[in-house]
């Protein structure tokens, strides 16, 4: 036994702080190693993460088909085919509108550029043509200086096209088997946790419920946002309104940052195609609709699964973006929500069931002859046995 004198020299508060620091350092090391492993296995980790999100979105349809009497394999195939049809239809609509309206957009941007140039000369700024030409030349020089970097990026993107295709195939396979055998896979995982399997099961179910509500609610909110902005753009006659609406829909999956990026792109396209007035009108509609989404749709639809403060969302997005770029920012919020909901279930121990009450011992004198009772029947009297033998 060690003497207590060295421990008495340290105040209890400092000892507790030291213990907490050691625990936090160990947790930080484990998290860092885990993050490095995921970073090395991005080719596998990212498709699996997206597959989990797709499974949470599509599983209600598969579950309804199963309840209707369809076999799991057929319900999964029907769900996958419906999702593929929606994606192909959306891609065809976006591609057709883009190929049809892009030349018109170029002409409108050129007309707007000439109008802006004329306003800079004849307007309150009274710029000279030489100054405007100098500004245009500077912009052209910047673009030419970055041409090499742009070309290198395009070539590198073409080099990883095969990896992207392989990731998509892996994503489809993982989504298919999660939809078909998700419950069996989860039961197989639980068998490896032994006595703590009930806690892990409760934590996993809480995490899955949170993820499902978050994904379904976010898709609903993003769909409303994209449809409203698409109607506004189409009503203004802005070219490429369908691709812009789809961009706004997908950007809505990244809280705060995504809508800022998509809104900026849509506003610039509106400015180049329709001028400053309609661009300001669109920007005002976007801000109003975004505020309604943040204060009405998000609390009603997504708030039941995710109740984070905006500051927490910003910090989570920053950490996810630093660790894994755009993909990390996209999955950072649902991952944080899942961990936040699962940890309490892991710490909570389900109370043991109370012991059953003792069974009362019946009085032998009150047990009727025809009642089987709880004990052996009394032996018949000697005269009764003799009568029976006779």
């Amino acid at each position: 036994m060690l003497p207590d004198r060295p421990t008495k020299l340290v105040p209890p508060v400092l000892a507790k702080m030291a213990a907490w620091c050691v625990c936090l350092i160990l947790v930080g090391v484990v998290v860092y190693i885990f993050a490095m492993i995921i970073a090395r296995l991005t080719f596998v980790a990212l498709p699996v993460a997206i597959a989990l999100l797709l499974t949470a979105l599509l599983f209600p349809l598969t579950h309804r088909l199963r309840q209707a009497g369809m076999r799991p394999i057929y319900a999964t195939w029907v769900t996958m085919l419906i999702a593929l049809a929606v994606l192909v239809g959306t891609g065809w609509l976006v591609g057709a509108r883009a190929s049809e309206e892009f030349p018109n957009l170029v002409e409108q941007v050129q007309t707007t550029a000439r109008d802006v140039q004329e306003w800079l000369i004849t307007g309150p700024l009274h710029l000279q043509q030489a100054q405007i030409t100098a500004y245009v030349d500077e912009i052209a020089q910047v673009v030419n200086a970055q041409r090499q970097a742009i070309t290198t990026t395009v070539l590198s993107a073409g080099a990883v096209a095969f990896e992207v295709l392989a990731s998509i195939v892996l994503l489809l396979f993982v989504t298919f088997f999660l939809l078909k055998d998700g419950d069996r896979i989860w039961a197989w995982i639980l068998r490896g946790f032994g006595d703590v399997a009930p806690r892990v099961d409760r934590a996993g179910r809480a995490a899955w419920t949170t993820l499902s509500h978050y994904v379904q609610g976010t898709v609903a909110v993003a769909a409303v946002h994209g449809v409203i902005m698409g109607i506004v753009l189409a009503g203004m006659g802005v070219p490429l309104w369908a691709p812009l609406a789809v961009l706004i829909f997908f950007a809505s999956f990244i809280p705060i940052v995504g809508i800022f990026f998509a809104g900026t792109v849509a506003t610039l396209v509106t400015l180049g195609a329709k001028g400053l007035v309609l661009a300001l009108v669109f920007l005002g509609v976007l801000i109003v609709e975004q505020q309604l989404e943040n204060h009405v749709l998000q609390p009603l639809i997504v708030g039941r699964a995710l109740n984070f403060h905006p500051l927490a969302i910003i910090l989570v997005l920053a950490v996810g973006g630093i660790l894994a770029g755009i993909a990390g920012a996209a999955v950072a919020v649902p991952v944080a929500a899942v961990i936040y909901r699962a940890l309490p279930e892991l710490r909570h121990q389900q109370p043991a069931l109370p012991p059953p009450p003792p069974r009362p011992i019946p009085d032998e004198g009150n047990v009727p002859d025809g009642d089987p009772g709880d004990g052996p029947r009394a032996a018949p009297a000697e005269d009764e046995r003799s009568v029976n033998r006779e």
Side-chain angles (χ1 to χ4, degrees), residues 65-111:
L65 293 175
R66 289 186 183 183
Q67 287 183 336
M70 190 175 293
R71 293 181 58 185
I73 181 67
Y74 299 144
T76 304
W77 273 114
V78 170
T79 304
M80 296 288 290
L81 290 177
I82 292 176
L84 183 62
V86 172
L87 290 177
V88 171
T90 304
W92 176 83
L93 175 63
V94 171
R97 299 298 300 180
S99 61
E100 179 182 352
E101 297 178 352
F102 187 77
N104 186 24
L105 175 62
V106 173
E107 294 179 359
Q108 291 181 355
V109 170
Q110 292 175 351
T111 303

Side-chain angles (χ1 to χ4, degrees), residues 82 106 119 126 134 153 176 179 201 217 242 267 297 309 322 327 338 372:
I82 292 176
V106 173
W119 178 81
H126 296 290
T153 303
F176 178 84
L179 288 173
D201 185 33
T267 304
L297 293 180
H309 193 273
I322 292 173
V338 165

Side-chain angles (χ1 to χ4, degrees), residues 48-63 66 174-175 177-183 185-186 200-217 304-305 334-335 337-343 345:
V48 171
I50 299 176
L52 284 173
L53 298 177
L54 288 177
T55 304
L57 176 64
L58 299 176
F59 183 74
L61 177 59
T62 306
H63 184 64
R66 289 186 183 183
V174 174
T175 303
F177 285 107
L178 287 179
L179 288 173
K180 177 179 175 292
D181 299 325
D183 50 352
I185 294 174
W186 180 242
V200 177
D201 185 33
R202 293 196 306 270
R205 294 183 183 277
W208 179 252
T209 301
T210 301
L211 183 64
S212 300
H213 289 170
Y214 173 79
V215 173
Q216 296 165 15
R304 58 178 178 175
V335 168
V338 165
I339 295 175
Y340 181 73
R341 302 300 179 189
L343 284 180
E345 296 295 335

Side-chain angles (χ1 to χ4, degrees), residues 23 25 55 69 82 132 188 194 197 276 282 290 294-295 370 372:
C23 294
I25 290 173
T55 304
I82 292 176
I132 298 176
W188 176 78
L276 181 62
F282 172 78
Q290 181 67 19
N294 292 336
H295 295 88

Side-chain angles (χ1 to χ4, degrees), residues 9-204:
L9 297 177
V10 180
V13 175
L14 184 58
K16 289 184 178 180
M17 291 178 61
W20 273 102
C21 290
V22 172
C23 294
L24 291 177
I25 290 173
L26 292 176
V27 172
V29 171
V30 172
V31 171
Y32 177 78
I33 295 175
F34 185 71
M36 292 299 100
I37 293 174
I38 293 179
R40 296 286 295 177
L41 300 177
T42 305
F43 180 78
V44 177
L46 185 58
V48 171
I50 299 176
L52 284 173
L53 298 177
L54 288 177
T55 304
L57 176 64
L58 299 176
F59 183 74
L61 177 59
T62 306
H63 184 64
R64 288 179 180 273
L65 293 175
R66 289 186 183 183
Q67 287 183 336
M70 190 175 293
R71 293 181 58 185
I73 181 67
Y74 299 144
T76 304
W77 273 114
V78 170
T79 304
M80 296 288 290
L81 290 177
I82 292 176
L84 183 62
V86 172
L87 290 177
V88 171
T90 304
W92 176 83
L93 175 63
V94 171
R97 299 298 300 180
S99 61
E100 179 182 352
E101 297 178 352
F102 187 77
N104 186 24
L105 175 62
V106 173
E107 294 179 359
Q108 291 181 355
V109 170
Q110 292 175 351
T111 303
T112 302
R114 287 192 296 267
D115 294 339
V116 171
Q117 182 178 356
E118 182 180 356
W119 178 81
L120 291 174
I121 297 174
T122 61
L125 298 179
H126 296 290
L127 297 179
Q128 300 296 326
Q129 182 66 38
Q131 293 176 322
I132 298 176
T133 304
Y135 294 149
V136 173
D137 291 340
E138 290 180 3
I139 296 174
Q141 291 176 1
V142 172
V143 173
N144 290 329
Q146 298 297 325
R147 180 180 300 175
Q148 183 65 31
I150 295 173
T151 304
T152 305
T153 303
V154 172
L155 292 177
S156 62
V160 300
F162 178 77
E163 294 184 3
V164 173
L165 181 61
S167 298
I168 293 176
V169 173
L170 177 61
L171 185 152
L172 294 177
F173 269 98
V174 174
T175 303
F176 178 84
F177 285 107
L178 287 179
L179 288 173
K180 177 179 175 292
D181 299 325
D183 50 352
R184 295 169 57 187
I185 294 174
W186 180 242
W188 176 78
I189 293 175
L190 286 178
R191 286 200 294 267
F193 287 94
D195 296 337
V196 298
R199 289 191 184 185
V200 177
D201 185 33
R202 293 196 306 270

Side-chain angles (χ1 to χ4, degrees), residues 316-335:
V316 169
L317 287 174
V319 173
I322 292 173
L323 293 178
I326 298 177
V331 301
V333 176
V335 168

Side-chain angles (χ1 to χ4, degrees), residues 301-326:
I301 299 178
V302 189
R304 58 178 178 175
L306 185 64
N307 192 17
F308 282 177
H309 193 273
L311 178 59
I313 294 178
I314 290 292
L315 294 177
V316 169
L317 287 174
V319 173
I322 292 173
L323 293 178
I326 298 177

